[in-house]
Amino acid sequence: MAAGFKTADLLEYYRRFLKENCRPDGRVLLEFRPTTLNIGSISTADGSALVKVGNTTIICGIKAELATPTVEAPGKGYIVPNVDLPPLCSSRFRPGPPGEPAQACSQFIADLIESSEIIQTDDLCVERGKLCWVLYCDLMCLDYDGNLRDACVIALLAALKNTQLPEAVISTETHLPVVDLEKRHGLKVCKHPVASSFCIFDESTLIVDPTDEEENLSTARITVVTEEGDRLCAVHKPGGMSLSGQKLQECINRATVRQKEIQKLTDKVLSSVKTS
């Protein structure tokens, strides 16, 4: 009976649950799905991490390459994120060039990297105006069930903290780059921003960590990014209905708690990797 009602009117099916302050998967409105993290998943990458948020699974691999610094920033390296949503992760995505959801998420990640200064790009410079590191951060979705941004940010930060760069210099004799793969050092990750995404139903009901179904049924979405020390880093709202100050503060409060939870999880997993 319930399955038939869900098929006939999915939105009304959700409304029945939301009126009771719960959701079809058993969560209360502001409860995140279980989150798991594995670091160092790709042995051929310079850094990697695998994240599961509910049924949404993201793997991030970081590949470091040497390049010439840009003219505008001769003393800095740079980070290039790319989000891939292949057909294998969901039937809603098709083969071919990146679609709008993947492009929008890639841009969100790029903006976050720049605004939060996760890494001081000066640290990626080998020799000013001549040589720097470029970090290509490839984020692939293996299984899609909503809330792509939150999972991508967790995977990116964990992979950056796992990254080991080889020693590189410019030879004084040949003037060419010389790389020592046996000598490596970690990246200095300066900030730990965490994204928390919310959806609004019927202009008043706020839920966190939406599934794919919930995203499609909602009337608005918002992503709040917070850092250590309860600092607000960014608020991203791609259209939809407006949000009251009270609802926004509710989002910020929940995002602040989430930031602490994810940073604690990341530090715990990193610590276990180092001691193993």
Side-chain angles (χ1 to χ4, degrees), residues 94-116:
R94 297 288 180 265
E100 192 278 331
Q103 292 183 46
C105 191
S106 294
Q107 188 59 55
F108 171 80
I109 297 293
D111 292 343
L112 177 60
I113 290 171
E114 183 176 356
S115 63
S116 64

Side-chain angles (χ1 to χ4, degrees), residues 37 161 192 194 228 257-272:
L37 172 63
K161 289 193 172 188
H192 195 122
V194 172
E228 305 98 315
V257 175
R258 176 66 168 175
Q259 194 281 329
K260 294 182 175 69
E261 294 170 348
I262 294 302
Q263 186 166 359
K264 183 178 179 180
L265 171 65
T266 305
D267 291 344
K268 180 181 178 181
V269 176
L270 278 167
S271 178
S272 66

Side-chain angles (χ1 to χ4, degrees), residues 58-233:
I58 300 292
I59 189 164
C60 177
I62 296 180
K63 192 65 179 174
E65 294 185 6
L66 290 168
T68 303
T70 62
V71 176
E72 296 79 13
K76 298 182 178 182
Y78 44 103
I79 306 172
V80 182
N82 180 64
V83 176
D84 186 15
L85 296 171
L88 68 87
C89 74
S90 171
S91 58
R92 65 182 292 178
F93 304 117
R94 297 288 180 265
E100 192 278 331
Q103 292 183 46
C105 191
S106 294
Q107 188 59 55
F108 171 80
I109 297 293
D111 292 343
L112 177 60
I113 290 171
E114 183 176 356
S115 63
S116 64
E117 297 182 337
I118 297 171
I119 290 175
Q120 296 293 329
T121 49
D122 309 54
D123 295 341
L124 298 177
C125 182
V126 177
E127 188 164 330
R128 183 178 177 85
K130 295 182 179 180
L131 195 66
C132 71
W133 286 108
V134 182
L135 303 182
Y136 291 99
C137 307
D138 292 317
L139 295 130
M140 177 178 285
C141 184
L142 303 180
D143 195 2
Y144 180 81
D145 188 25
N147 202 3
L148 178 67
R149 291 179 176 181
D150 289 19
C152 281
V153 173
I154 297 170
L156 175 70
L157 263 293
L160 286 172
K161 289 193 172 188
N162 175 246
T163 298
Q164 295 284 319
L165 294 181
E167 293 291 334
V169 295
I170 294 181
S171 171
T172 55
E173 297 178 357
T174 63
H175 304 291
L176 296 174
V178 177
V179 178
D180 188 345
L181 297 176
E182 299 302 317
K183 294 181 180 179
R184 290 178 174 265
H185 64 276
L187 289 173
K188 183 181 179 182
V189 180
C190 305
K191 303 286 182 65
H192 195 122
V194 172
S196 300
S197 294
F198 303 80
C199 278
I200 299 174
F201 275 81
D202 296 334
E203 302 183 2
S204 60
T205 305
L206 186 70
I207 66 169
V208 72
D209 183 20
T211 63
D212 185 29
E213 270 188 355
E214 291 168 340
E215 286 180 345
N216 292 329
L217 293 171
S218 66
T219 52
R221 304 180 198 177
I222 182 171
T223 300
V224 176
V225 183
T226 50
E227 298 176 348
E228 305 98 315
D230 300 346
R231 292 189 297 271
L232 178 63
C233 179

Side-chain angles (χ1 to χ4, degrees), residues 1-10 12-13 16-17:
M1 185 71 178
F5 179 37
K6 180 179 179 181
T7 304
D9 193 339
L10 185 59
E12 188 57 36
Y13 174 80
R16 296 281 180 93
F17 282 91

